[in-house]
Amino acid sequence: MIKQLLPPATIGIVGGGQLGQMLTLAAKSMGYKVGVLDPTPDCPAAQVADFQIKADYDDRTAMLQLAKQADVLTYEFENVDLDSLETASQYAALPQGTHLLAVTRNRLTEKKFLKSLGVPVTDFAAVNTLAELKIASTTIGLPSILKTATGGYDGHGQYDVNTSADIATATKLLPGDCILERRQAFIKELAIMVTRDRNQQVRTFPVVENIHQQHILHETIAPAPVTAAIQATVVQIATKIAQGLDLYGVLGIEFFLLSDGRLLVNELAPRPHNSGHFSIEACNLSQFAAHIRSICGLPLPPITQQRPAVMVNLLGQHLEAARQRWLQRPQWYLHDYGKAEIRHQRKMGHITILTDDPVQTQAQLAAEKIWEDQ
């Protein structure tokens, strides 16, 4: 059972992006103090935190400095130096541990872990060389996707291998630790956020549908327009994974829904996730508040959704138009992350709309023509 920490205890967050910012806002609203480790001056989380340690994430001295100034540590992304984090846990609590990161930061390790739990995943194979890729493309079958085992995100570090002719392009990732995954002809992409409290009580957020464009999450519809049976299966799988990981904090789980009704787990995210942003306005407890409560050993109530919602991401090319349109759209909950550099395809913010007709709201958002470039 993890230690209970009450305000004004200090939470140290490794990473200062938008997830760190929203974690900080949730923690501050409860009375906690927050410190952030991030190399970027005035990063989004630092804008609202009590202090920032400006250093690279693999700076062991800086990690220890954060730990010595904090009562509990957490992180907003997967690629944290595990040795440094383990050493830092001598000075501050680390309820999430390092096993969670070790499993989820490597796609191959993650798939093997899920299979060990009996959780359904797509066919996959480890690939390190061109020869192994050619063999795997035969045993796994095509079309498939070659991905780096670590480090990829939002479509980076992966190549589609639809036919044998695509192998030559995909070898740009080789030699190196990669995974070949069988491409699935899914009908929907679903996701769920899950957490546990100090009494091992599992709490799940509503099942949502995610719509991606160019491998980047574009829209989330909450709750997902699927049957109660499918929702129940998603919750059952999420509970099994949370218990198997001895989870504390929030975990995001992405699924493929196949045409025959089967569900395959696609990816895990050991932290708050883009597909849970809707919860800030739509639920009795946001994913960020749930994460803070979980790592601080506080009880968690059952999660309920108060109104259906649609969340849409704002990338660099959308931000200014959305800011201007917001003047005429009072129903929009606009979240601007405050990033200094606006770049094409970079996540800069999001909009959430509470609605009793998500389909109509999606059509209205499309009619805004802000997101047409995608």
XYZ file of all heavy atoms in Angstrom, residues 21-96:
581
model
N 1.715 20.275 -17.742
C 0.970 21.498 -17.397
C -0.387 21.160 -16.790
O -0.774 21.714 -15.743
C 0.770 22.354 -18.651
C 0.062 23.675 -18.391
C -0.257 24.412 -19.688
O -1.106 23.979 -20.467
N 0.444 25.514 -19.924
N -1.117 20.236 -17.422
C -2.448 19.906 -16.922
C -2.378 19.101 -15.626
O -3.259 19.227 -14.765
C -3.250 19.205 -18.018
C -3.650 20.182 -19.141
S -4.622 19.465 -20.495
C -3.314 18.866 -21.570
N -1.325 18.296 -15.456
C -1.106 17.642 -14.167
C -0.841 18.682 -13.078
O -1.352 18.573 -11.957
C 0.085 16.687 -14.261
C -0.146 15.328 -14.918
C 1.182 14.617 -15.142
C -1.079 14.466 -14.074
N -0.041 19.686 -13.418
C 0.283 20.736 -12.449
C -0.953 21.512 -12.044
O -1.174 21.787 -10.850
C 1.341 21.695 -13.036
O 2.522 20.949 -13.355
C 1.689 22.794 -12.046
N -1.778 21.872 -13.020
C -2.998 22.618 -12.715
C -3.911 21.809 -11.788
O -4.499 22.356 -10.851
C -3.727 22.973 -14.011
C -3.057 24.042 -14.880
C -3.729 24.119 -16.247
C -3.110 25.410 -14.191
N -4.012 20.507 -12.048
C -4.843 19.657 -11.184
C -4.266 19.593 -9.774
O -4.993 19.687 -8.780
C -4.948 18.257 -11.781
N -2.951 19.433 -9.686
C -2.307 19.329 -8.369
C -2.418 20.633 -7.593
O -2.691 20.634 -6.378
C -0.841 18.944 -8.547
N -2.204 21.749 -8.273
C -2.276 23.056 -7.607
C -3.681 23.340 -7.083
O -3.843 23.948 -6.019
C -1.832 24.156 -8.565
C -0.352 24.106 -8.960
C 0.570 24.351 -7.778
C 0.472 25.789 -7.278
N 1.368 26.007 -6.104
N -4.693 22.887 -7.820
C -6.069 23.122 -7.361
C -6.359 22.380 -6.072
O -7.273 22.743 -5.330
C -7.061 22.710 -8.450
O -7.141 21.298 -8.570
N -5.583 21.321 -5.790
C -5.749 20.563 -4.548
C -4.854 21.088 -3.429
O -4.964 20.626 -2.290
C -5.404 19.085 -4.794
C -6.260 18.396 -5.820
S -5.701 16.667 -6.027
C -6.291 16.330 -7.684
N -3.958 22.003 -3.745
C -3.093 22.573 -2.727
C -1.679 22.036 -2.695
O -0.898 22.399 -1.811
N -1.336 21.168 -3.656
C 0.030 20.646 -3.705
C 0.978 21.671 -4.328
O 0.561 22.559 -5.079
C 0.078 19.353 -4.538
C -0.600 18.186 -3.884
C -1.900 17.827 -4.237
C 0.046 17.433 -2.909
C -2.543 16.757 -3.636
C -0.584 16.356 -2.298
C -1.883 16.028 -2.671
O -2.514 14.966 -2.060
N 2.258 21.530 -4.015
C 3.297 22.285 -4.694
C 3.876 21.389 -5.785
O 3.884 20.161 -5.658
C 4.386 22.735 -3.719
C 3.880 23.695 -2.660
C 5.019 24.253 -1.827
C 4.472 25.169 -0.729
N 3.700 26.306 -1.288
N 4.360 22.013 -6.854
C 4.829 21.244 -8.003
C 6.152 21.789 -8.515
O 6.315 23.006 -8.681
C 3.787 21.274 -9.157
C 4.307 20.480 -10.356
C 2.446 20.719 -8.697
N 7.095 20.872 -8.751
C 8.347 21.208 -9.415
C 8.462 20.420 -10.707
O 7.984 19.284 -10.798
N 9.103 21.012 -11.710
C 9.177 20.411 -13.038
C 10.625 20.324 -13.485
O 11.395 21.284 -13.317
C 8.374 21.251 -14.061
C 8.545 20.702 -15.470
C 6.901 21.285 -13.682
N 10.998 19.185 -14.065
C 12.309 19.016 -14.699
C 12.110 19.040 -16.205
O 11.443 18.163 -16.769
C 12.948 17.690 -14.278
C 14.221 17.270 -15.027
C 15.338 18.291 -14.828
C 14.678 15.888 -14.593
N 12.668 20.048 -16.865
C 12.526 20.186 -18.312
C 13.617 21.128 -18.817
O 13.906 22.142 -18.166
C 11.146 20.748 -18.677
C 10.813 20.581 -20.149
O 11.337 21.361 -20.974
O 10.045 19.660 -20.484
N 14.216 20.834 -19.970
C 15.302 21.694 -20.465
C 14.842 23.000 -21.104
O 15.650 23.910 -21.298
C 15.991 20.803 -21.507
C 14.915 19.887 -21.992
C 14.050 19.620 -20.795
N 13.549 23.112 -21.433
C 13.048 24.289 -22.141
C 12.636 25.375 -21.154
O 11.752 25.149 -20.324
C 11.839 23.922 -23.017
O 12.199 22.857 -23.899
C 11.376 25.135 -23.827
N 13.248 26.555 -21.243
C 12.846 27.650 -20.350
C 11.372 27.997 -20.541
O 10.873 28.039 -21.670
C 13.749 28.813 -20.788
C 14.906 28.161 -21.479
C 14.350 26.936 -22.147
N 10.671 28.208 -19.432
C 9.266 28.604 -19.471
C 8.413 27.623 -20.286
O 7.535 28.018 -21.036
C 9.124 30.022 -20.038
C 7.796 30.667 -19.665
O 7.297 30.406 -18.562
O 7.240 31.417 -20.496
N 8.693 26.345 -20.127
C 7.892 25.324 -20.797
C 6.459 25.365 -20.262
O 6.190 26.006 -19.242
C 8.510 23.950 -20.585
S 8.630 23.465 -18.841
N 5.498 24.729 -20.944
C 4.098 24.826 -20.508
C 3.866 24.517 -19.030
O 3.149 25.253 -18.341
C 3.395 23.818 -21.419
C 4.174 23.872 -22.682
C 5.601 24.024 -22.235
N 4.470 23.450 -18.512
C 4.247 23.106 -17.105
C 4.889 24.116 -16.171
O 4.333 24.456 -15.124
C 4.774 21.702 -16.814
N 6.064 24.615 -16.541
C 6.767 25.583 -15.695
C 5.992 26.882 -15.559
O 6.146 27.598 -14.562
C 8.158 25.861 -16.260
N 5.157 27.194 -16.531
C 4.354 28.424 -16.481
C 3.365 28.412 -15.315
O 2.924 29.478 -14.873
C 3.602 28.600 -17.804
C 4.502 28.858 -18.996
C 3.759 28.767 -20.325
O 2.543 28.938 -20.379
N 4.485 28.489 -21.394
N 3.031 27.236 -14.816
C 2.046 27.144 -13.734
C 2.589 26.447 -12.490
O 1.901 26.354 -11.480
C 0.764 26.425 -14.215
C 0.039 27.268 -15.263
C 1.080 25.044 -14.799
N 3.834 25.936 -12.565
C 4.436 25.214 -11.439
C 5.093 26.169 -10.447
O 5.253 27.368 -10.723
C 5.461 24.203 -11.954
N 5.517 25.636 -9.305
C 6.198 26.440 -8.287
C 7.659 26.662 -8.629
O 8.225 27.705 -8.308
C 6.074 25.751 -6.922
C 4.633 25.717 -6.431
O 4.171 26.742 -5.896
O 3.977 24.686 -6.613
N 8.275 25.664 -9.271
C 9.672 25.845 -9.672
C 10.004 24.923 -10.828
O 9.319 23.909 -11.058
C 10.637 25.606 -8.500
C 10.664 24.198 -7.970
C 11.557 23.242 -8.492
C 9.823 23.804 -6.934
C 11.586 21.953 -7.995
C 9.853 22.506 -6.439
C 10.738 21.581 -6.971
N 11.050 25.279 -11.559
C 11.537 24.465 -12.662
C 13.030 24.224 -12.516
O 13.781 25.147 -12.198
C 11.281 25.139 -14.021
C 11.833 24.344 -15.214
C 11.698 25.068 -16.539
O 11.259 26.223 -16.591
N 12.078 24.410 -17.625
N 13.451 22.994 -12.755
C 14.860 22.671 -12.870
C 15.153 22.539 -14.359
O 14.627 21.628 -15.023
C 15.201 21.369 -12.126
C 14.946 21.556 -10.629
C 16.653 20.963 -12.376
C 15.095 20.285 -9.821
N 15.935 23.454 -14.903
C 16.207 23.481 -16.341
C 17.391 22.574 -16.639
O 18.542 22.935 -16.430
C 16.488 24.910 -16.807
C 15.348 25.885 -16.591
C 15.705 27.266 -17.132
C 14.616 28.292 -16.822
N 14.527 28.584 -15.383
N 17.097 21.370 -17.108
C 18.146 20.395 -17.422
C 17.555 19.322 -18.324
O 16.330 19.154 -18.411
C 18.688 19.760 -16.139
N 18.447 18.609 -19.003
C 18.006 17.515 -19.850
C 17.436 16.385 -18.996
O 17.807 16.205 -17.836
C 19.172 16.985 -20.687
C 19.621 17.983 -21.752
O 18.767 18.776 -22.205
O 20.810 17.965 -22.115
N 16.569 15.598 -19.614
C 15.894 14.533 -18.881
C 16.855 13.441 -18.419
O 16.562 12.720 -17.466
C 14.793 13.911 -19.751
C 13.785 14.916 -20.260
C 13.564 15.086 -21.623
C 13.058 15.699 -19.372
C 12.634 15.998 -22.091
C 12.132 16.621 -19.822
C 11.927 16.775 -21.190
O 11.018 17.687 -21.652
N 17.983 13.289 -19.115
C 18.944 12.253 -18.727
C 20.040 12.781 -17.809
O 21.035 12.111 -17.567
C 19.570 11.606 -19.959
C 20.294 12.610 -20.847
O 20.284 13.811 -20.526
O 20.878 12.185 -21.872
N 19.841 13.988 -17.286
C 20.798 14.590 -16.358
C 20.544 14.011 -14.962
O 19.595 14.393 -14.272
C 20.629 16.115 -16.354
C 21.693 16.838 -15.549
O 22.124 16.299 -14.510
O 22.076 17.947 -15.937
N 21.385 13.066 -14.562
C 21.180 12.366 -13.293
C 21.217 13.324 -12.100
O 20.426 13.198 -11.156
C 22.238 11.278 -13.125
C 22.078 10.429 -11.868
C 23.194 9.404 -11.787
N 23.063 8.417 -12.841
C 22.510 7.220 -12.665
N 22.049 6.874 -11.474
N 22.428 6.362 -13.649
N 22.147 14.298 -12.138
C 22.255 15.261 -11.036
C 20.970 16.059 -10.892
O 20.479 16.291 -9.783
C 23.443 16.213 -11.270
O 24.648 15.448 -11.357
C 23.560 17.221 -10.142
N 20.412 16.470 -12.037
C 19.169 17.246 -12.011
C 18.005 16.400 -11.502
O 17.148 16.889 -10.751
C 18.865 17.783 -13.404
N 17.970 15.121 -11.911
C 16.919 14.225 -11.448
C 16.976 14.080 -9.929
O 15.942 14.114 -9.237
C 17.049 12.861 -12.109
C 15.949 11.882 -11.745
S 14.401 12.154 -12.627
C 14.827 11.440 -14.224
N 18.164 13.933 -9.397
C 18.312 13.806 -7.951
C 17.934 15.108 -7.247
O 17.355 15.093 -6.159
C 19.743 13.410 -7.599
C 20.180 12.015 -8.060
C 21.626 11.757 -7.657
C 19.272 10.942 -7.488
N 18.252 16.231 -7.881
C 17.880 17.524 -7.308
C 16.360 17.641 -7.214
O 15.820 18.087 -6.191
C 18.437 18.662 -8.168
C 18.114 20.053 -7.626
C 18.590 21.170 -8.562
O 19.345 20.922 -9.515
N 18.134 22.382 -8.307
N 15.665 17.221 -8.273
C 14.198 17.248 -8.254
C 13.666 16.347 -7.143
O 12.768 16.744 -6.390
C 13.642 16.808 -9.607
C 12.111 16.743 -9.711
C 11.504 18.137 -9.615
C 11.682 16.068 -11.020
N 14.227 15.144 -7.041
C 13.758 14.195 -6.032
C 13.951 14.733 -4.624
O 13.090 14.543 -3.749
C 14.481 12.860 -6.197
N 15.070 15.395 -4.381
C 15.358 15.912 -3.040
C 14.460 17.092 -2.678
O 14.303 17.405 -1.495
C 16.830 16.310 -2.953
C 17.774 15.107 -2.969
C 19.239 15.512 -3.015
C 20.140 14.300 -3.047
N 21.586 14.655 -3.137
N 13.870 17.738 -3.691
C 12.963 18.852 -3.435
C 11.499 18.417 -3.457
O 10.607 19.236 -3.238
C 13.180 19.954 -4.471
C 14.524 20.662 -4.357
C 14.683 21.771 -5.384
O 15.507 21.706 -6.289
N 13.867 22.805 -5.256
N 11.258 17.123 -3.755
C 9.883 16.640 -3.890
C 9.591 15.539 -2.870
O 10.494 14.944 -2.286
C 9.661 16.110 -5.307
N 8.305 15.290 -2.676
C 7.870 14.177 -1.835
C 7.483 12.960 -2.674
O 7.534 11.835 -2.208
C 6.672 14.616 -0.987
C 7.029 15.732 -0.031
O 7.789 15.466 0.916
O 6.567 16.870 -0.243
N 7.063 13.199 -3.927
C 6.656 12.131 -4.824
C 7.048 12.529 -6.244
O 7.013 13.712 -6.604
C 5.140 11.848 -4.716
C 4.320 13.052 -5.113
C 4.738 10.632 -5.548
N 7.429 11.539 -7.040
C 7.838 11.779 -8.421
C 6.858 11.125 -9.386
O 6.302 10.054 -9.121
C 9.233 11.207 -8.694
C 10.422 11.849 -7.982
C 11.686 11.051 -8.294
C 10.587 13.307 -8.408
N 6.684 11.765 -10.538
C 5.922 11.188 -11.635
C 6.533 11.689 -12.936
O 7.521 12.418 -12.929
C 4.426 11.529 -11.524
O 3.692 10.783 -12.512
C 4.163 13.013 -11.717
N 5.948 11.312 -14.079
C 6.508 11.687 -15.374
C 5.371 11.846 -16.372
O 4.285 11.295 -16.206
C 7.513 10.632 -15.859
C 7.059 9.215 -15.617
C 6.161 8.586 -16.479
C 7.495 8.500 -14.500
C 5.722 7.306 -16.238
C 7.062 7.205 -14.259
C 6.173 6.617 -15.138
O 5.726 5.342 -14.891
N 5.653 12.618 -17.433
C 4.613 12.858 -18.432
C 4.938 12.217 -19.777
O 4.206 12.401 -20.739
C 4.390 14.370 -18.622
C 5.568 15.110 -19.196
C 5.192 16.210 -20.173
O 4.078 16.739 -20.106
O 6.045 16.536 -21.013
N 6.024 11.472 -19.873
C 6.358 10.778 -21.110
C 7.180 9.539 -20.764
O 7.678 9.390 -19.644
C 7.120 11.691 -22.078
C 8.466 12.135 -21.570
C 9.621 11.493 -21.969
C 8.578 13.210 -20.689
C 10.864 11.897 -21.500
C 9.809 13.620 -20.225
C 10.954 12.955 -20.622
N 7.337 8.641 -21.768
C 7.927 7.340 -21.490
C 9.448 7.323 -21.449
O 10.043 6.503 -20.746
C 7.473 6.328 -22.560
C 6.015 5.924 -22.457
C 5.078 6.846 -23.219
O 5.358 8.067 -23.312
O 4.064 6.363 -23.718
N 10.104 8.173 -22.231
C 11.551 8.037 -22.433
C 12.358 8.715 -21.327
O 13.177 9.598 -21.566
C 11.932 8.577 -23.811
C 11.305 7.754 -24.926
O 11.337 6.528 -24.881
N 10.705 8.415 -25.888
N 12.111 8.275 -20.108
C 12.845 8.753 -18.941
C 13.964 7.758 -18.649
O 13.776 6.543 -18.796
C 11.912 8.867 -17.716
C 12.660 9.408 -16.511
C 10.702 9.741 -18.045
N 15.124 8.250 -18.242
C 16.233 7.375 -17.902
C 15.864 6.554 -16.658
O 15.678 7.104 -15.567
C 17.499 8.194 -17.641
C 18.694 7.315 -17.343
O 19.203 6.661 -18.257
O 19.106 7.276 -16.157
N 15.757 5.243 -16.843
C 15.270 4.387 -15.757
C 16.243 4.316 -14.589
O 15.826 4.298 -13.424
C 14.995 2.978 -16.289
C 13.864 2.841 -17.312
C 13.659 1.378 -17.672
C 12.567 3.433 -16.778
N 17.535 4.281 -14.888
C 18.519 4.209 -13.805
C 18.464 5.462 -12.929
O 18.510 5.377 -11.690
C 19.931 4.032 -14.376
C 20.136 2.653 -14.978
O 19.381 1.735 -14.604
O 21.032 2.498 -15.826
N 18.359 6.625 -13.581
C 18.278 7.877 -12.825
C 17.011 7.922 -11.984
O 17.020 8.361 -10.832
C 18.313 9.074 -13.778
O 19.546 9.160 -14.456
N 15.910 7.451 -12.569
C 14.638 7.455 -11.851
C 14.691 6.503 -10.660
O 14.192 6.817 -9.574
C 13.513 7.061 -12.813
C 12.084 7.440 -12.430
C 11.952 8.946 -12.231
C 11.110 6.965 -13.505
N 15.320 5.355 -10.856
C 15.448 4.391 -9.771
C 16.277 4.962 -8.624
O 15.934 4.832 -7.443
C 16.098 3.105 -10.294
C 16.078 1.948 -9.324
C 14.686 1.366 -9.126
O 13.973 1.158 -10.113
O 14.322 1.147 -7.950
N 17.375 5.631 -8.972
C 18.215 6.258 -7.940
C 17.457 7.365 -7.220
O 17.527 7.502 -5.995
C 19.501 6.832 -8.581
O 20.200 5.784 -9.245
C 20.398 7.454 -7.523
N 16.705 8.139 -7.989
C 15.946 9.253 -7.408
C 14.884 8.765 -6.437
O 14.512 9.490 -5.499
C 15.305 10.073 -8.523
N 14.411 7.525 -6.634
C 13.349 7.006 -5.764
C 13.832 6.765 -4.333
O 13.030 6.484 -3.445
C 12.780 5.713 -6.346
O 13.739 4.669 -6.321
N 15.148 6.892 -4.108
C 15.664 6.812 -2.741
C 15.309 8.066 -1.937
O 15.318 8.045 -0.710
C 17.178 6.652 -2.760
C 17.679 5.405 -3.466
C 19.192 5.368 -3.546
O 19.886 5.778 -2.602
N 19.723 4.883 -4.657
N 15.007 9.147 -2.652
C 14.765 10.436 -2.001
C 13.299 10.867 -2.041
O 12.866 11.664 -1.210
C 15.626 11.522 -2.648
C 17.099 11.219 -2.586
C 17.758 10.631 -3.662
C 17.839 11.493 -1.438
C 19.116 10.336 -3.600
C 19.202 11.207 -1.368
C 19.825 10.628 -2.455
O 21.168 10.329 -2.389
N 12.547 10.380 -3.008
C 11.128 10.720 -3.121
C 10.356 9.476 -3.540
O 10.887 8.604 -4.235
C 10.923 11.842 -4.143
N 9.116 9.393 -3.119
C 8.288 8.240 -3.468
C 8.109 8.161 -4.984
O 8.009 9.185 -5.673
C 6.934 8.348 -2.785
N 8.056 6.942 -5.502
C 7.820 6.709 -6.926
C 6.765 5.613 -7.049
O 7.072 4.464 -7.356
C 9.125 6.299 -7.622
C 9.071 6.119 -9.141
C 8.775 7.438 -9.839
C 10.372 5.507 -9.653
N 5.496 5.962 -6.794
C 4.443 4.942 -6.763
C 4.302 4.160 -8.062
O 3.935 2.980 -8.036
C 3.172 5.761 -6.473
C 3.669 7.015 -5.836
C 4.993 7.300 -6.464
N 4.581 4.807 -9.190
C 4.456 4.116 -10.476
C 5.576 3.108 -10.699
O 5.451 2.222 -11.553
C 4.445 5.136 -11.616
C 3.222 6.047 -11.613
C 3.458 7.290 -12.457
O 4.020 8.266 -11.987
N 3.043 7.234 -13.709
